[in-house]
Amino acid sequence: MKYSKYNIYVEKGQYVIGYNTMTENIIVLPKKISLDLLSNKDNVDILKETNTNLFNALVDNDFIISKNRDELSELRIENKINTITAKDYHLTLIPSLDCNLKCWYCYENHITNSKMSENTISRITEHIELKIENNELNNLVLDWFGGEPLLYFNEVTYPLSIKLKNILEKNKLTLHSFFVTNGSLINDDMIDKLSEINSRFQITLDGNKKRHDKIRYSKENEKGTYDKIIKSLYNITQKIDETYINIRINYDEKTLKGVEDIIRDLKDIDRRKVNIHLERIWQTKPDPNNLDLKNALDLIVSNGFSSTYLNFTRRPYRCKAERLNQAVIIYDGSVYKCSGRDFSIENIDGILEEKGIIQWNQSNLSKRIGLSTFENKKCLDCKLLPICMGPCSQKLIEHDWNIVDHICPLSSLEMPLDEFVIYKYNNVSNLKKIYNV
């Protein structure tokens, strides 16, 4: 037997918290059990004789594993299966690059009155039929993105969703819809239709009402959208039985101080259906010891909400764009892999042609998925590898694949690693995984 490579231990009061990033199991131990004992590889077999209960608990939670196990090889094969051979198809559709809002940090160049044509809709329908016919699809995750994907909901988004749902059901498959939306256009009629197509959501708040309304306001009348979005969050959770909302709070140095107000405004929402995710606005600089962030996360968790931060969670790849069976199709039929860059002509990765065939730029494709994003010394030596899986493939393409320090996700972590482990321990989403000795 041996200790897992991916064990992290930190002290908290009278306890030691163990966190295994390979399984995301958490174990709580008395402080009298020393960190030296838990980290010394030569003590594993001795531990079995001297403290059988502790040894068994560590084995049960994968902190101690078989000597023959190669965890890195397991991560590699998991990555290859999920990026190259998996038939789960992740398709992002962008019905318009227009938006009813204009947030200052948005990276997109919005195109007024842009709208997916009937020709593109027809090709997308044929594309899904072709994937099924070629046995390249056993599950469809359909992301709606923009611009604002609900801008032409009744003209494009809903009817196309119903067409795809019918095609899938005919083949005994299920449609899963995910909307990345600002939430300000949602009304009761729309919610009924969203319920029909198995919808989940990401909806953003930019702080409390005062802060949010300075950033996310209507282009048409410059009115803030905070109250509308809070109402939409409640309506979705109350009227759609099987749903989930990732409430994303984009923060800078001013936003986090208003999280208490957001928690108050969400106090009666169904916590089983929501997660609160914190993400720094990309144009602002991370603070390596951000007390406001720590306080915000503590507040969210202490009020019974599940939370995520920096997307450090167990995963087989860094981003869906690294998957072969994935595409982003915009309103004019242009195809991309990454949705985190401007949808310009220079960034096009392919074209959706007649009969639903995507003609990919094979050079671009091979650069993105030819090498796993974590195949560098820094990542291979990192204990967070199973919950990170390396830098963003788009950033690696734009920079040197061998120099990753400046794009390492860990460099954006705005707290010491031990504080991050304690946050994981406190997070309600992990409570069921905690094992006390």
Side-chain angles (χ1 to χ4, degrees):
M1 304 294 282
K2 64 180 180 181
Y3 282 114
S4 168
K5 178 181 179 179
Y6 300 108
N7 295 337
I8 303 174
Y9 297 101
V10 301
E11 293 184 358
K12 177 178 169 61
Q14 297 304 307
Y15 299 96
V16 171
I17 298 172
Y19 174 50
N20 180 272
T21 60
M22 188 76 172
T23 60
E24 288 217 84
N25 286 341
I26 293 175
I27 192 165
V28 180
L29 307 169
K31 193 173 181 179
K32 63 183 180 182
I33 299 173
S34 71
L35 297 182
D36 287 341
L37 175 67
L38 296 168
S39 303
N40 189 338
K41 63 181 180 180
D42 296 327
N43 286 336
V44 177
D45 293 327
I46 297 174
L47 186 63
K48 186 176 182 179
E49 302 298 327
T50 59
N51 194 330
T52 305
N53 287 340
L54 174 60
F55 177 85
N56 290 336
L58 293 172
V59 170
D60 290 344
N61 289 275
D62 293 301
F63 285 77
I64 292 177
I65 60 176
S66 167
K67 209 165 200 174
N68 296 325
R69 274 190 67 182
D70 185 336
E71 293 169 296
L72 180 56
S73 292
E74 291 175 15
L75 289 174
R76 281 176 165 140
I77 191 66
E78 183 182 300
N79 174 261
K80 290 180 186 300
I81 289 171
N82 283 277
T83 55
I84 304 299
T85 64
K87 292 182 181 179
D88 292 341
Y89 190 34
H90 211 134
L91 178 62
T92 300
L93 297 181
I94 298 177
S96 173
L97 281 175
D98 200 356
C99 188
N100 59 317
L101 310 182
K102 182 62 177 178
C103 309
W104 70 267
Y105 54 76
C106 185
Y107 59 86
E108 291 180 5
N109 294 318
H110 292 155
I111 301 176
T112 304
N113 298 322
S114 57
K115 177 182 174 184
M116 187 172 283
S117 67
E118 287 297 329
N119 182 262
T120 301
I121 291 172
S122 177
R123 292 185 182 190
I124 290 170
T125 304
E126 290 177 318
H127 176 62
I128 295 302
E129 290 175 328
L130 184 63
K131 297 284 283 186
I132 294 172
E133 181 183 333
N134 291 339
N135 194 29
E136 296 174 342
L137 187 157
N138 59 16
N139 183 40
L140 175 63
V141 178
L142 182 60
D143 285 357
W144 290 96
F145 194 61
E148 171 48 50
L150 300 181
L151 201 60
Y152 296 106
F153 181 76
N154 287 318
E155 298 95 324
V156 177
T157 307
Y158 176 66
L160 178 51
S161 295
I162 290 298
K163 283 182 181 180
L164 296 180
K165 181 184 178 186
N166 290 337
I167 292 170
L168 291 164
E169 288 180 347
K170 183 180 177 181
N171 289 275
K172 298 182 180 179
L173 300 170
T174 303
L175 173 68
H176 303 277
S177 303
F178 185 78
F179 288 84
V180 180
T181 169
N182 60 49
S184 66
L185 298 176
I186 294 175
N187 55 41
D188 289 343
D189 177 64
M190 192 180 290
I191 285 180
D192 290 339
K193 293 175 179 177
L194 288 166
S195 182
E196 288 181 54
I197 53 176
N198 301 320
S199 300
R200 296 187 172 199
F201 306 84
Q202 176 173 288
I203 297 176
T204 298
L205 293 171
D206 277 281
N208 61 14
K209 177 177 170 60
K210 181 179 180 181
R211 179 68 179 161
H212 174 101
D213 284 347
K214 289 181 178 179
I215 299 172
R216 288 183 168 251
Y217 52 84
S218 170
K219 282 182 183 178
E220 183 179 351
N221 54 27
E222 298 190 353
K223 288 185 178 180
T225 58
Y226 184 85
D227 291 335
K228 282 185 177 181
I229 294 171
I230 293 293
K231 182 180 178 181
S232 293
L233 294 173
Y234 275 97
N235 282 342
I236 290 169
T237 56
Q238 290 167 356
K239 296 177 181 179
I240 303 181
D241 292 333
E242 299 295 329
T243 194
Y244 178 82
I245 309 174
N246 189 47
I247 302 172
R248 174 166 166 155
I249 299 177
N250 289 334
Y251 70 88
D252 58 14
E253 67 280 358
K254 297 179 181 178
T255 307
L256 293 171
K257 297 182 187 301
V259 168
E260 185 174 359
D261 298 329
I262 298 174
I263 296 299
R264 184 193 64 239
D265 293 336
L266 296 175
K267 64 183 175 65
D268 296 321
I269 205 164
D270 188 343
R271 285 160 172 74
R272 297 169 301 175
K273 294 183 177 181
V274 300
N275 174 75
I276 299 179
H277 177 74
L278 296 183
E279 194 77 28
R280 176 170 280 281
I281 294 171
W282 64 276
Q283 294 97 330
T284 63
K285 187 177 180 180
D287 177 354
N289 192 21
N290 192 333
L291 293 179
D292 286 335
L293 174 64
K294 180 182 180 300
N295 292 337
L297 288 169
D298 288 346
L299 185 65
I300 292 166
V301 170
S302 65
N303 278 274
F305 288 93
S306 171
S307 76
T308 49
Y309 165 62
L310 275 185
N311 289 322
F312 279 136
T313 188
R314 187 67 171 87
R315 64 212 302 159
Y317 45 79
R318 180 68 198 174
C319 172
K320 62 191 177 187
E322 294 148 32
R323 300 183 70 246
L324 188 61
N325 209 14
Q326 176 269 348
V328 179
I329 303 175
I330 73 169
Y331 69 98
D332 66 357
S334 299
V335 184
Y336 300 78
K337 291 293 286 182
C338 175
S339 59
R341 292 292 184 271
D342 186 42
F343 298 106
S344 62
I345 294 175
E346 294 77 19
N347 290 331
I348 287 177
D349 290 303
I351 296 293
L352 180 63
E353 298 183 336
E354 291 182 5
K355 298 182 180 179
I357 298 170
I358 294 181
Q359 187 63 47
W360 289 102
N361 181 319
Q362 292 299 323
S363 176
N364 287 1
L365 199 61
S366 61
K367 287 177 184 177
R368 186 180 298 276
I369 64 177
L371 183 67
S372 297
T373 54
F374 57 86
E375 291 293 352
N376 61 80
K377 187 177 187 310
K378 184 179 181 69
C379 291
L380 296 178
D381 291 342
C382 182
K383 285 184 177 293
L384 295 187
L385 177 59
I387 61 171
C388 175
M389 299 304 281
C392 155
S393 62
Q394 183 65 35
K395 291 178 181 177
L396 284 167
I397 289 170
E398 294 167 353
H399 299 85
D400 187 335
W401 278 71
N402 296 311
I403 305 173
V404 299
D405 284 358
H406 61 302
I407 55 173
C408 170
L410 190 56
S411 66
S412 299
L413 185 64
E414 298 187 57
M415 61 181 71
L417 184 57
D418 59 346
E419 288 289 344
F420 176 74
V421 172
I422 292 171
Y423 154 69
K424 281 284 190 178
Y425 163 77
N426 289 332
N427 194 344
V428 292
S429 66
N430 286 315
L431 285 180
K432 292 182 181 178
K433 301 178 184 178
I434 295 173
Y435 188 103
N436 290 279
V437 175

